[in-house]
Amino acid sequence: MSAKPVREHYGKQLLAKFIKEYSKGEHDFEGRGILVKPGVADPASPVTWDTLLQENEWARTAKLVAKPDQLIKRRGKAGLLAINKTFEECKTWVNERMNKPWKVEAVEGVLNTFLIEPFVPHAQEDEYYICIQSNRDGEEMLFWHEGGVDIGDVDSKALRLQVALGEDVTADAIDGTLLKHVPAERKAKLASFFVTLMKVYRELHFVYMEINPIVVEANGKITPLDLAAKIDETAAFLVMQKWGPSIDFPAPFGRAEFPEESYIKAMDAKTGASLKLTILNVTGRVWTMVAGGGASVVYADTICDLGFAHELANYGEYSGAPNDEQTYNYARTILGLMVRTKREEGKVLIIGGGIANFTDVAATFKGLIKAIRERREDIINGNISIFVRRAGPNYQEGLKMMLALRDETGIKMKVFGPEQDAVSVCPLALGLVSVDSIPDFDPEAKLIHTVSKAAEPEAGLIEPRKFEGTQADFKAQLSTMSRQQFTKETRCVVYGLQQRAVQGMLDFDFMCKRAKPSVAAMIYPFQGNHYIKFYWGTEETLIPVYTKISTAIEKHPDVTVMVNFASFRSVYDTCMETFEKHSDRIKTMAIIAEGVPEAQTRALVTKAEEMGVGIIGPATVGGIKPGCFRIGNTGGMLDNIVMSRLYRPGSVCYVSKSGGMSNELNNIISRNSNGVCEGVAIGGDRYPGSRFVDHLLRYNDNPDCKILVLLGEVGGTDEYAVCDALKTGRISKPLIAWCIGTCASAFSFEVQFGHAGACARGMGETARDKNAALAAAGAIVPPSFAEFGKKINEVYTLLKQKGEIPDIPEPEVPKVPMDYTWAKRLGMIRKPANFISTISDDRGEELKYSGMPISEVFGEDLGVGGVLSLLWFRKKLPPYATKFIEMILMVTADHGPAVSGAHNTIVSTRAGKDLVSSLVSGLLTIGPRFGGALDGAASMMTAACDKGMSAAEFVNDCKKNNVLIMGIGHRIKSLENPDMRVVIIKEFVKKHFPKTPTLDFALAVEQVTTSKRSNLILNVDGCIAVSFVDLLRHCGAFTIEEADELVANGVLNGLFVLGRSIGFIGHHLDQKRLKQPLYRHPWDDISYISGDM
């Protein structure tokens, strides 16, 4: 959802913050207010009445107003206003109502948030009404000179002023249009204030603001008393700093947000996928888990149309290729809610969706199956039946997994694929038809495409219509898109490194027997110009990638379309650059990104029209013209292209908002007619770049198109332009239309559906209103979406009978080799992996170290030592062991600038090398003579200890064989001047390690060697080495053999490298900080020897 309502307190705080700034001091609104939440009466709460009063000293003496701040309309009429009260009186009034149920008109909810603000004395004639609301062309201001609770039907009587996009409203325009009934002495002040209000509205990305009343006080000061506002949430990345951290989007009054809804909302915010959940009736029998924003509405509609609105428990969707973990958590949440209560007649879970364009169905089912397995007993005990209908990439494997799950668990389950319409499972699930009336998905059966045979078409279904006026009366403002047509020669550039989408477009081109690929080039600004290899059938071809839009367009003069995969943050800039500099060449722009702020979208639409460029999107999957051109991922995988016969043109053109449902339409149309002629998903945002009517007129003017199909939805008014085109005869071909979202009228509170624009904001925007208007205008509107395909089939059959649709010879089904990656995913081939990794996994919802999620690593405070133990040893070692590892890193971090490694690092740094190069220079000195004593000491001491040699025997044996004892000896330290590092390590090891035989042996060796010379002590390298051997061997995590293998593999050397890297980096940074010059060794420190040696 993009437009979200905010609390009155928060809206006023924004006005208070910016009114003065944007009016340059002319107007000032203090916006004083106290937000009171539950717990305020509890003395133990961090926020109490006393603390609130301390923070708002002005409230001690002021007269006040108290009211709920929970998006409640008409609070005054509901008895929810306390006026002209003291703070103590407000406190009593709020306490009496806090956390109490309250009925406002037909809605009952719990009061839990109140606003206390100054009382503003005024007369009735001082009250006015002002509203600003955004529309496609700009902002509309509504004003009436009589405000307050008794304003009545403001829509019918308010004075209106439309302010076009890109234009500033003037005080003169406001005065002349809106303030006709305002006393002359107040006009200038009010007009100026409203100019400032419009600036704040636009700058802060409001989409709706109503102030009723706004008061002009006796001293001329203007004060908003009651405010209702909505903000475009998608603009957060642009103005979050101005909004501030306290922004709050409360749930509608009448229902508190369930913890499960909050959980899904938080999960949705952390992912690029879309995860939505609204609980309608937690004890309801019918639950849904639907993939796709449009499909989720269609399922809810169908359930309500079949008479089960009172049993529909939830609305929600999961889409955008969520990973296993996300799908698991989503399914686990829904199942947890389902089993919370039992119903004697049982419950049903409908797992549905349209035909996915790019989401791997089997991959999303993995998480779902995991959740069902966990809840198996609860599902069976709760008499829950599951009905599955899914299709799209890898759906066959996904449905086979569900059938196997049914056999494994014994859960009552029916499974269907694209051989059935999307909502065909609903009557089965609701018990309206026998569960055996439709056969389960058969993984062995080959999907044979046949056109359904219609029952006798309805009489007069497509009889000539009587037009209200002529085509000249059709005055709708059309976009450039209404004049665009795609052909077999259409070529595009793709913005973004979307290799999968490009390969899909090329495969479609090859199937359609295009002469050359439709994708001429790609644009990716973050790498240099290069080429990427793609398949063209069985051959390979290269597609150039450019860093600049201008270069791509200059190099490929035949390009007329840009498919823009830029993110919602950058898509505005890339589109504007294209419109301003390349509109002579680029005539169509497809904007794929979701979440583009409404203000930016409207600006793009305006600029595109100015420059003569048509737009498809934003938030679109694209469009497809069978046999000609495909945008992005439209149409899904190759098997769906073949199943829906999209490789050759049919006679039906459709336009939809939903991308997922557009693919479902491909299936429905292909099964009820001779196929699709062209189809476009205009996108689910409130202001799509092109509208339904633009595309329907293109189709109407295309002689190959015989039938038009429209799938609209709740929200917006674009369908009414289609009604006008039907009434005037501008659309002359049969139109089958349906607007999804009819279920909205069955809900007691506003539900935001899957698309940003799918929410009725005004009169006539409901799906039922629009379906009625389309039917009245002459469109063929079925009773429900479930009969959509039937109506298409009836119209197709009638036109065939009349000879208006000729027989199309069916070409041979083209074959395109399957990509290796996809074939492997389908289990058709296998290949050994090039790499094996057992220590980390970044594929799930969060990173894992040896199977341990990163959140648990921090939750258990494992520290660096714990992380090292997981990544190096694949074990969670005991705390003393991880502490010892950290001690090793600390004592080996540095040993001064004179040692070889540090010296090399310093020299390289002073030669101007970067950090990594300087670090590597130092690390390369580590070996037998520097740092290697750890490995040597460990192997020598361990071998002698294991043989049962005494310390004296070991020392004598080394002397006899002329072998230096590694880990013994120090240039400076001695028995008299011990190395404190060794002392600290010995004390820690003796105190915490369960056994220390190797350290004990080394200390015995030290006694022998120091008897000869006092500096032949156990040095820090030797102490670390033998102690670490004891740790590995006796901590309980490893066998003796495993411990020895780790030492042999270089783990001790790794500890020295890791520890010493800390010091080397320090030396590099130190030299950089000191800005030391190039090092040149002094010649007098070099012995120059000439002559023979």
Side-chain angles (χ1 to χ4, degrees), residues 469-495:
T470 66
Q471 291 191 26
D473 297 321
F474 179 64
K475 303 294 186 183
Q477 184 178 355
L478 301 176
S479 78
T480 304
M481 199 65 224
S482 65
R483 301 184 293 278
Q484 307 289 16
Q485 297 288 355
F486 301 117
T487 70
K488 265 198 168 187
E489 283 69 49
T490 299
R491 301 196 80 205
C492 71
V493 290
V494 174
Y495 190 98

Side-chain angles (χ1 to χ4, degrees), residues 30 226 505 680 707 751 767 807 909 920 998 1077:
E30 293 179 330
D226 283 331
M505 293 173 71
V680 167
I707 302 172
V751 174
D807 290 330
T909 302
V920 170
T998 317

Side-chain angles (χ1 to χ4, degrees), residues 398-471:
L399 297 185
K400 282 194 283 186
M401 290 161 57
M402 295 304 291
L403 289 170
L405 177 70
R406 179 179 67 183
D407 296 339
E408 168 199 332
T409 61
I411 292 171
K412 290 185 287 186
M413 187 184 300
K414 296 288 286 184
V415 179
F416 308 101
E419 72 282 356
Q420 304 298 334
D421 287 345
V423 296
S424 59
V425 298
C426 293
L428 272 71
L430 301 175
L432 301 177
V433 298
S434 169
V435 292
D436 298 322
S437 60
I438 302 177
D440 270 324
F441 168 73
D442 183 355
E444 303 302 324
K446 186 175 181 181
L447 193 59
I448 300 173
H449 190 97
T450 57
V451 177
S452 303
K453 293 190 181 296
E456 189 62 33
E458 181 184 329
L461 188 64
I462 54 171
E463 289 300 312
R465 303 191 304 275
K466 293 182 179 179
F467 302 126
E468 299 176 10
T470 66
Q471 291 191 26

Side-chain angles (χ1 to χ4, degrees), residues 880 989-1000 1026-1036 1040:
Y880 72 83
V989 170
K990 282 295 186 180
K991 181 178 180 180
H992 296 285
F993 283 22
K995 292 182 181 179
T996 58
T998 317
L999 175 60
D1000 293 342
V1026 295
S1027 298
F1028 204 77
V1029 169
D1030 285 335
L1031 172 66
L1032 295 176
R1033 285 187 165 197
H1034 304 295
C1035 70
I1040 298 293

Side-chain angles (χ1 to χ4, degrees), residues 886-894 981 985 1020 1024 1060:
E886 293 175 0
M887 288 176 63
I888 293 174
L889 299 179
M890 293 164 69
V891 299
T892 59
D894 195 50
R981 296 177 298 174
I985 291 171
V1020 69
I1024 289 172
R1060 195 50 60 94

